[in-house]
Amino acid sequence: NAGVTQTPKFQVLKTGQSMTLQCAQDMNHNSMYWYRQDPGMGLRLIYYSASEGTTDKGEVPNGYNVSRLNKREFSLRLESAAPSQTSVYFCASRESGGDSYEQYFGPGTRLTVT
Amino acid sequence: AQKITQTQPGMFVQEKEAVTLDCTYDTSDPSYGLFWYKQPSSGEMIFLIYQGSYDQQNATEGRYSLNFQKARKSANLVISASQLGDSAMYFCAAVRGTYKYIFGTGTRLKVLA
């Protein structure tokens, strides 16, 4: 099992460029999440998907879109990147139902917008 | 507003001693979960321990225990017998409802030899 994988690991964009961060999990989890981590800020939830076919906004959704392509994959798109979106992006997944609230995280994508 | 507060930006502990990392939370939800994650310098997020708001006993996982005081809205992490490999950033987090997770700003722990 690879767990949660993210591509790319690093990316540099110019202001105004677009890109999609990819995330996939092989644990058959229903829910998936995108976070950003800024220095001194902890992780903040951007969007989440409770199940295939559904997505919802988190704490900081502005400037982002997401797609839950299938049960395995959840992508995050920056349509017009801004320097304020320079951050480390983490994808996570979790089983739904039962008492398990543990999230499994990917290794992160370090994004720099110049 | 829902919030997790970690008031210790940095902590030092001597190897083999115990250390407590503080966390207070603010939620109006009757049901919630509390977590601690470890983030070493390599950057990955490692799950340590979970406590449900209705759990009567404090959660323990090996050298980690969560000191849950519901009335005080605190969920402190206790690491016993600290090891050099415990040096990392530690995040307290909560889940509101089923899906909305919030994280604190973290505490950087340095274990001294």
Side-chain angles (χ1 to χ4, degrees):
Chain A
N1 277 357
V4 180
T5 56
Q6 292 182 236
T7 54
K9 285 188 168 50
F10 301 93
Q11 184 71 49
V12 179
L13 291 178
K14 292 190 186 325
T15 297
Q17 287 185 319
S18 62
M19 79 159 296
T20 299
L21 306 185
Q22 306 286 355
C23 174
Q25 51 91 10
D26 62 2
M27 296 173 282
N28 203 35
H29 287 168
N30 283 323
S31 58
M32 297 185 73
Y33 307 78
W34 276 106
Y35 292 90
R36 61 179 288 173
Q37 184 179 24
D38 303 312
M41 295 291 289
L43 274 71
R44 291 185 291 169
L45 182 63
I46 304 171
Y47 271 94
Y48 67 95
S49 170
S51 61
E52 185 180 353
T54 70
T55 60
D56 279 291
K57 295 178 181 179
E59 185 184 352
V60 288
N62 291 345
Y64 304 95
N65 287 301
V66 291
S67 295
R68 183 74 183 267
L69 305 167
N70 47 55
K71 192 170 186 179
R72 289 188 64 247
E73 297 171 291
F74 187 37
S75 62
L76 178 72
R77 183 159 179 84
L78 288 69
E79 290 291 351
S80 179
S84 61
Q85 294 178 304
T86 293
S87 190
V88 179
Y89 291 85
F90 286 97
C91 177
S93 70
R94 199 202 96 189
E95 286 185 53
S96 294
D99 294 328
S100 174
Y101 287 92
E102 178 186 347
Q103 292 184 311
Y104 294 79
F105 283 85
T109 294
R110 187 173 294 275
L111 175 68
T112 302
V113 183
T114 61
Chain B
Q2 316 281 2
K3 195 175 177 183
I4 297 285
T5 301
Q6 295 181 252
T7 57
Q8 307 153 312
M11 292 276 289
F12 291 94
V13 65
Q14 207 65 40
E15 195 178 9
K16 299 180 186 174
E17 292 188 349
V19 63
T20 297
L21 306 184
D22 294 341
C23 173
T24 58
Y25 60 92
D26 177 17
T27 177
S28 54
D29 292 332
S31 175
Y32 50 90
L34 298 156
F35 305 80
W36 279 90
Y37 282 87
K38 173 183 178 181
Q39 187 177 43
S41 57
S42 50
E44 71 268 32
M45 295 291 288
I46 301 169
F47 168 79
L48 294 179
I49 197 165
Y50 167 79
Q51 176 89 38
S53 59
Y54 291 118
D55 293 341
Q56 297 292 325
Q57 294 195 325
N58 287 342
T60 59
E61 290 285 349
R63 294 186 299 110
Y64 304 108
S65 59
L66 197 153
N67 185 359
F68 181 46
Q69 298 188 44
K70 196 169 183 177
R72 300 178 68 177
K73 293 194 171 182
S74 74
N76 298 339
L77 177 71
V78 180
I79 305 174
S80 62
S82 297
Q83 302 171 356
L84 295 177
D86 294 335
S87 293
M89 197 76 169
Y90 288 82
F91 291 98
C92 181
V95 58
R96 307 179 284 120
T98 311
Y99 299 105
K100 292 203 172 182
Y101 290 78
I102 53 173
F103 283 74
T105 52
T107 295
R108 185 170 299 280
L109 177 67
K110 175 72 174 173
V111 180
L112 305 173

